[in-house]
Amino acid sequence: MEQNSIVKSFVFHMKFFLIVCVLTLSLQSKVKADDIRDFQIEGISIGDSLLDYFDKNYLKKAKRYDSTNTAWKDDKMFELRTKKKGSYTEIMFGLKKNDRKYTIYSISGLVKMENNIKECYQKQKEIAEEINELFPSVKKKNKNIKHRSDPTGKSTINEIYFIFNEEKIISDKISVACYDWSKKMKYWDNLRITIANSEFRSWLINDAYK
């Protein structure tokens, strides 16, 4: 029951922020919401400074994933995990190495799925449907891939994602995904909603694993 209530809160929370985004844009300029900086997770947006939300000493001690402890080879960017916040078990941020401003390039809200990955898939569809209803003109895609960090090939990512700024070679996107980790990886399965800009995605696709 506790896990169900967390996920229900997660769904409502994201819907709330998306609706706020639409209302704000319609009141100010009536421009279609096609800039991912207009979206938020726990009130945090792409382009914000993480220092506005967390103490610098805390950020220095927070767990990070980079070229020293993942399959990534390039160290230009990394991901930093923070403690539980709101409806999320963890929040994960994509940052650039040696950036004193801690500018945010991607945000992921993770909800731990302990017992049944099928429940994650159901919640994933519900959230994706809500986003699709709010933004029917935004292109929706899906994919199911093996996670490149798992050499056994048994860890998978099932992702439904929405493409923004299609004129870019690598676009900004919002995704709702289920991460199904193998026991070897010792990570917990999770429902994950991510907002990522084109710069972070370009690094992840073209440089991180080379």
Side-chain angles (χ1 to χ4, degrees), residues 72-89:
W72 295 340
K73 307 300 181 184
D74 186 85
D75 67 351
K76 177 183 176 181
M77 305 189 88
F78 65 96
E79 287 184 321
L80 183 130
R81 289 188 181 232
T82 66
K83 57 189 176 183
K84 176 177 173 61
K85 187 172 176 61
S87 303
Y88 303 95
T89 310

Side-chain angles (χ1 to χ4, degrees), residues 81-111:
R81 289 188 181 232
T82 66
K83 57 189 176 183
K84 176 177 173 61
K85 187 172 176 61
S87 303
Y88 303 95
T89 310
E90 287 185 344
I91 306 286
M92 187 160 63
F93 299 95
L95 306 169
K96 190 174 289 186
K97 183 179 179 182
N98 297 328
D99 177 12
R100 295 181 180 180
K101 294 182 179 180
Y102 285 80
T103 303
I104 300 167
Y105 295 84
S106 74
I107 313 170
S108 294
L110 285 69
V111 177

Side-chain angles (χ1 to χ4, degrees), residues 118-139:
K118 290 182 180 179
E119 182 182 358
C120 183
Y121 297 143
Q122 180 59 40
K123 298 303 178 185
Q124 175 196 32
K125 290 178 181 178
E126 292 173 5
I127 298 168
E129 286 173 6
E130 290 185 2
I131 296 174
N132 197 44
E133 287 175 7
L134 289 168
F135 304 100
S137 61
V138 176
K139 186 175 292 185

Side-chain angles (χ1 to χ4, degrees), residues 22-131:
V22 174
L23 291 176
T24 301
L25 286 169
S26 64
L27 288 171
Q28 289 182 347
S29 63
K30 297 183 180 179
V31 175
K32 185 180 70 174
D34 58 359
D35 189 333
I36 60 168
R37 290 174 296 181
D38 296 316
F39 298 91
Q40 299 175 326
I41 290 180
E42 288 296 332
I44 306 173
S45 301
I46 297 294
D48 289 353
S49 168
L50 204 52
L51 295 173
D52 292 335
Y53 306 96
F54 296 93
D55 181 77
K56 189 172 185 179
N57 289 329
Y58 168 76
L59 294 177
K60 287 181 177 180
K61 296 176 182 178
K63 187 171 184 179
R64 63 174 61 195
Y65 291 100
D66 55 27
S67 59
T68 67
N69 58 1
T70 71
W72 295 340
K73 307 300 181 184
D74 186 85
D75 67 351
K76 177 183 176 181
M77 305 189 88
F78 65 96
E79 287 184 321
L80 183 130
R81 289 188 181 232
T82 66
K83 57 189 176 183
K84 176 177 173 61
K85 187 172 176 61
S87 303
Y88 303 95
T89 310
E90 287 185 344
I91 306 286
M92 187 160 63
F93 299 95
L95 306 169
K96 190 174 289 186
K97 183 179 179 182
N98 297 328
D99 177 12
R100 295 181 180 180
K101 294 182 179 180
Y102 285 80
T103 303
I104 300 167
Y105 295 84
S106 74
I107 313 170
S108 294
L110 285 69
V111 177
K112 190 173 185 178
M113 305 297 293
E114 295 183 288
N115 300 318
N116 189 349
I117 194 65
K118 290 182 180 179
E119 182 182 358
C120 183
Y121 297 143
Q122 180 59 40
K123 298 303 178 185
Q124 175 196 32
K125 290 178 181 178
E126 292 173 5
I127 298 168
E129 286 173 6
E130 290 185 2
I131 296 174

